[in-house]
Amino acid sequence: MPEGWIPKAEDLTLCLSGYPIRIRLHIGRPRPYTLEVDGTAPRAYSSLALARHDALCSAAEWDAMMERALSGSTA
């Protein structure tokens, strides 16, 4: 690799702080973004904006689930 070049990253992960939610960037794929939420199957996206939107929705679902768990509700 020529001097001064930045090596290509194989994988980049963005973690949503405080949540079991990650968005991974996979270089060279048609749908390079993968949303990973613990306990669910990974979902592939072609757009970071769509992956981000679903990550924020998943965070809201996680908050609701934690609130129910802490209140003792099973609904």
Side-chain angles (χ1 to χ4, degrees):
M1 178 176 300
E3 186 177 329
W5 281 40
I6 299 171
K8 183 174 120 179
E10 295 300 320
D11 195 29
L12 175 66
T13 303
L14 305 171
C15 297
L16 195 55
S17 183
Y19 296 91
I21 299 170
R22 295 162 300 284
I23 297 174
R24 291 191 192 275
L25 169 61
H26 306 279
I27 305 296
R29 293 187 186 178
R31 299 177 73 186
Y33 301 100
T34 303
L35 175 61
E36 299 174 354
V37 179
D38 288 359
T40 65
R43 293 176 278 176
Y45 296 85
S46 57
S47 161
L48 178 57
L50 292 174
R52 179 183 175 273
H53 176 267
D54 282 359
L56 294 174
C57 289
S58 295
E61 292 169 6
W62 177 262
D63 285 341
M65 185 175 67
M66 290 297 103
E67 188 175 324
R68 285 191 305 273
L70 292 173
S71 71
S73 173
T74 58

